[in-house]
Amino acid sequence: MNTELPSEILFSHILPRLPAKYVSRFKCVSKQWNSFLRTPYFSTIHLNHVTNDDHQNHHKFLFFSSSINPKVFHNLDCETPDQDGLPVSRSLPFEVSSARMIFITSLNGLVCVGITEPGCNNVYSNMILWNPCTNDYKILSKPNSHVDCYRVTVKASGLYYCSSDDDYRLLRVTTSLNVYIYSLKSDSWRMLDSMKVLNSISTVTSETWGASTLQNENLYFLTKRVNKYHQLISYSIIRFDTKTEKFKELPTPSPQDDTTICLNSVLLHKDQLIHLCEMYSFCKVNSKEAELSAKLWRIDGDGDGDWTKVGTYAIPRNFYGYEPLHLMRDGNWATLCRSKCHVYKLDPARDFQKISHRIDNPPKGKYVETLVSPNW
């Protein structure tokens, strides 16, 4: 009986199914293993298992330490935000000194962060693509870039992968609606013809764009317009086609009546589908006190179809203004409280009455643990 596993079984079917942090340890087994596990080929097949297998690596919340010690970070599994405390701190691989680090966006294990220097909080001194699992990083070069690319406040940012060119790219839409794209492959920036790519969008400059959500090689952004009391009064969804490099405004679910005020809305991703979560208040007839509720919608395909309502939930008043962060596989929601200080795991099947734990540190963003390197 052969006591050794064939290399094909080991390298193509077993190791790709292990969590990324464990795979890194196996680089010490031998020179052959170390060489193979560092290849883009292995990282790609491992990534496919991460994104397609529900029992593989989960999304992680990323936490940065306070300005007192900006050189460390933590992460926490989005599926278990009720665990007691944060994992052990890990050191950042790049120098931040006394600067501030800001989470910009992420994709396939790569996180884009911006660094601001003391006294210059409006512009990033550098933007960095970084893999928190492997600690590989790359500082984005600035040739052909404009100062608007490095503004802290912009309309939108989104990472995406261009399969035809085998290239990771960063989209930046400025406050003046100029559009820039950074290519990791060429390590350079280029500006798009804004009149050409934005002519189908009716959005005005006063609207804010939310975090990006990637689906079927399209980036989605939820844009919000608020009144003077910072209450959400309308929103729309913008889709960026990464192949044609054009934007399109998509229809949203039917608005509520005049007595309804939308408190919060966010785009989320689960089961390879785009979800829209709305939290809103409404006044019942002959009642002076507002009721709170939430609706979860889903849209299939590329966003051109109709929205399907997944569920409607009652919300106790103590959850007023909570922001959903993640849809778990078990149906629970990870949410950020109104003070932006605590993450709660809530059970919508019980009308959000179940609170399991809180974390005294706001997450800066989400990422997936993979072996994808920004230095390919």
Side-chain angles (χ1 to χ4, degrees):
M1 181 176 179
N2 190 356
T3 58
E4 293 187 4
L5 285 172
S7 298
E8 171 66 20
I9 298 296
L10 181 64
F11 290 144
S12 299
H13 297 281
I14 296 179
L15 292 179
R17 287 178 165 81
L18 295 176
K21 62 181 179 181
Y22 298 132
V23 173
S24 298
R25 300 176 185 176
F26 294 131
K27 294 176 182 178
C28 301
V29 172
S30 67
K31 291 183 178 180
Q32 179 192 16
W33 283 41
N34 180 62
S35 177
F36 178 76
L37 296 178
R38 292 180 181 274
T39 61
Y41 168 76
F42 178 78
S43 296
T44 299
I45 60 175
H46 182 271
L47 174 63
N48 290 335
H49 284 290
V50 170
T51 54
N52 296 323
D53 188 349
D54 284 341
H55 301 288
Q56 245 286 34
N57 302 308
H58 310 310
H59 282 85
K60 306 288 183 179
F61 286 128
L62 182 64
F63 299 81
F64 299 140
S65 293
S66 65
S67 57
I68 300 176
N69 185 11
K71 299 182 180 181
V72 298
F73 69 97
H74 318 265
N75 61 40
L76 186 67
D77 197 313
C78 293
E79 298 291 333
T80 57
D82 53 341
Q83 74 178 45
D84 189 17
L86 291 172
V88 177
S89 301
R90 295 174 55 197
S91 298
L92 292 168
F94 42 82
E95 182 62 39
V96 293
S97 62
S98 59
R100 184 168 62 121
M101 188 163 66
I102 300 174
F103 182 99
I104 298 176
T105 185
S106 70
L107 176 70
N108 292 348
L110 295 181
V111 175
C112 183
V113 295
I115 308 296
T116 63
E117 300 299 335
C120 189
N121 292 326
N122 295 325
V123 179
Y124 296 124
S125 59
N126 278 307
M127 283 192 285
I128 300 173
L129 281 179
W130 161 52
N131 184 325
C133 180
T134 64
N135 259 354
D136 291 340
Y137 73 94
K138 180 179 180 61
I139 299 175
L140 276 58
S141 67
K142 299 181 180 179
N144 302 322
S145 68
H146 189 273
V147 65
D148 283 349
C149 299
Y150 284 78
R151 298 283 186 194
V152 173
T153 304
V154 294
K155 284 290 183 186
S157 296
L159 265 176
Y160 63 94
Y161 175 71
C162 181
S163 57
S164 60
D165 293 332
D166 188 24
D167 187 19
Y168 281 91
R169 295 174 181 172
L170 172 65
L171 172 76
R172 298 277 281 172
V173 182
T174 70
T175 53
S176 56
L177 295 182
N178 290 319
V179 182
Y180 298 88
I181 293 179
Y182 168 83
S183 164
L184 178 61
K185 197 170 188 177
S186 65
D187 194 22
S188 63
W189 293 86
R190 59 187 171 90
M191 181 179 179
L192 299 188
D193 183 347
S194 298
M195 295 302 296
K196 178 181 178 182
V197 298
L198 292 169
N199 58 4
S200 62
I201 298 179
S202 61
T203 184
V204 295
T205 56
S206 61
E207 289 183 334
T208 60
W209 295 33
S212 65
T213 302
L214 185 68
Q215 170 73 13
N216 294 338
E217 297 190 82
N218 292 309
L219 282 173
Y220 294 85
F221 302 92
L222 186 69
T223 68
K224 303 179 183 181
R225 186 180 298 171
V226 299
N227 60 21
K228 63 180 180 180
Y229 303 108
H230 301 289
Q231 295 172 316
L232 178 63
I233 58 177
S234 67
Y235 59 86
S236 62
I237 295 173
I238 305 299
R239 183 183 69 197
F240 176 72
D241 189 322
T242 64
K243 291 173 287 189
T244 64
E245 297 186 336
K246 291 186 178 181
F247 292 84
K248 181 179 180 180
E249 190 167 10
L250 303 178
T252 55
S254 301
Q256 308 299 318
D257 57 40
D258 294 338
T259 64
T260 300
I261 299 176
C262 192
L263 304 172
N264 212 331
S265 56
V266 65
L267 283 180
L268 299 168
H269 192 268
K270 181 188 178 187
D271 301 329
Q272 306 303 315
L273 294 172
I274 298 294
H275 288 72
L276 172 67
C277 175
E278 298 175 300
M279 288 189 173
Y280 60 91
S281 66
F282 62 95
C283 292
K284 290 185 176 180
V285 179
N286 300 325
S287 176
K288 295 182 179 180
E289 188 163 337
E291 299 286 336
L292 298 176
S293 185
K295 287 185 179 180
L296 185 64
W297 303 82
R298 184 191 71 222
I299 194 166
D300 303 337
D302 291 330
D304 294 316
D306 296 327
W307 289 90
T308 302
K309 188 188 298 183
V310 178
T312 301
Y313 316 102
I315 305 178
R317 293 202 61 82
N318 56 313
F319 295 132
Y320 180 95
Y322 273 42
E323 177 185 352
L325 296 175
H326 180 74
L327 295 179
M328 302 179 189
R329 294 195 310 275
D330 61 7
N332 287 330
W333 297 8
T335 64
L336 186 65
C337 72
R338 75 195 77 173
S339 64
K340 309 293 184 184
C341 293
H342 310 298
V343 175
Y344 289 89
K345 184 172 78 172
L346 305 179
D347 185 353
R350 302 182 183 181
D351 293 334
F352 292 93
Q353 294 286 359
K354 180 182 177 182
I355 302 178
S356 54
H357 194 65
R358 74 179 189 182
I359 302 167
D360 297 325
N361 199 353
K364 303 305 180 184
K366 289 194 302 183
Y367 73 100
V368 178
E369 284 192 333
T370 72
L371 301 169
V372 175
S373 172
N375 295 315
W376 291 344

